């Protein structure tokens, strides 16, 4: 039996995330809810259940949780937040962040995929603008795919968009955590 390629595995993942919806239906969900998978109320309740405090109005860093990371790896998100609190990192997050578009990037090449990726640029820019309104100088992503998509959407500001462990390591310095 032939081993599946990485590309075919990613494409199967994109099909699973689509849940039988076509690209336009998924984009409509992002426009309406901020992501193509779940309603914001579920995200809000999950974050509260994980002990994530309410978002501050203003902060130096803005956390982007992503569409799937809180649901796929909730304890990782919880632990990221715990470490930020221990390090006294000034952070906030968006009440309704927009999907980064990585699930669309995993689709097979098509006109739908290209249109979805173009729209994901606008979604990433919306996140960036919301973070700027909150005073954030840096956006830290819990999902590497989201960080990658955001960096591609803002190639002139790569240091503004970081993966969450990078933000943690930047603040850790020589300190040790108990």
């Amino acid at each position: 039996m032939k081993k599946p390629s990485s590309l075919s595995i990613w494409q199967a993942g994109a099909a699973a995330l689509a849940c039988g919806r076509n690209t336009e239906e998924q984009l409509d969900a992002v426009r309406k809810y901020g992501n193509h998978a779940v309603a914001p109320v579920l995200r809000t309740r999950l974050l509260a259940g994980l002990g994530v405090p309410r978002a501050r109005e203003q902060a130096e860093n803005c956390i982007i949780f992503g569409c799937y990371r809180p649901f796929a790896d909730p304890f990782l998100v919880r632990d990221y937040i715990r470490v930020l609190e221990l390090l006294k990192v000034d952070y906030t997050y968006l009440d309704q962040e927009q999907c980064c578009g990585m699930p669309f990037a995993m689709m097979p090449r098509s006109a739908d995929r290209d249109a979805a990726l173009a729209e994901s640029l606008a979604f990433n820019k919306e996140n960036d603008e919301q973070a700027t309104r909150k005073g954030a100088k840096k956006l830290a992503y819990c999902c590497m795919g989201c960080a990658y998509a955001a960096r591609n959407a803002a190639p002139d500001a790569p240091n503004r968009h970081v993966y969450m462990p990078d933000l943690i390591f930047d603040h850790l310095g020589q300190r040790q955590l108990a």
Side-chain angles (χ1 to χ4, degrees), residues 53-146:
R54 288 182 181 260
R56 295 176 180 103
E57 290 298 317
Q58 295 283 302
E60 186 176 330
N61 301 287
C62 184
I63 307 307
I64 304 294
F65 293 106
C67 295
Y68 295 103
R69 183 64 66 206
F71 298 95
D73 300 304
F75 301 116
L76 179 64
V77 170
R78 178 201 62 198
D79 293 344
Y80 281 159
I81 296 301
R82 281 184 180 170
V83 172
L84 293 179
E85 293 287 336
L86 285 170
L87 294 173
K88 299 183 182 354
V89 174
D90 183 34
Y91 73 90
T92 188
Y93 55 91
L94 307 177
D95 293 325
Q96 184 170 325
E97 64 189 51
Q98 302 297 307
C99 175
C100 71
M102 273 307 283
F104 302 117
M106 294 185 297
M107 294 168 51
R109 289 249 175 234
S110 68
D112 279 355
R113 176 181 184 248
D114 294 341
L117 288 175
E119 194 145 355
S120 78
L121 289 174
F123 296 151
N124 280 291
K125 288 180 182 186
E126 173 59 26
N127 286 343
D128 199 293
E129 290 168 4
Q130 287 185 64
T132 297
R133 288 192 294 273
K134 286 185 160 240
K137 306 226 180 324
K138 191 171 281 189
L139 286 76
Y141 299 81
C142 292
C143 170
M144 178 51 90
C146 293

Side-chain angles (χ1 to χ4, degrees), residues 13-56:
L17 296 174
C19 298
R21 296 169 296 158
N22 66 34
T23 304
E24 190 56 36
E25 290 169 325
Q26 292 176 72
L27 288 169
D28 283 342
V30 175
R31 290 181 202 112
K32 186 174 182 180
Y33 300 117
N35 70 58
H36 63 97
V38 298
V41 69
L42 296 176
R43 174 185 172 268
T44 300
R45 288 186 178 188
L46 177 61
L47 293 177
L50 293 172
V52 176
R54 288 182 181 260
R56 295 176 180 103

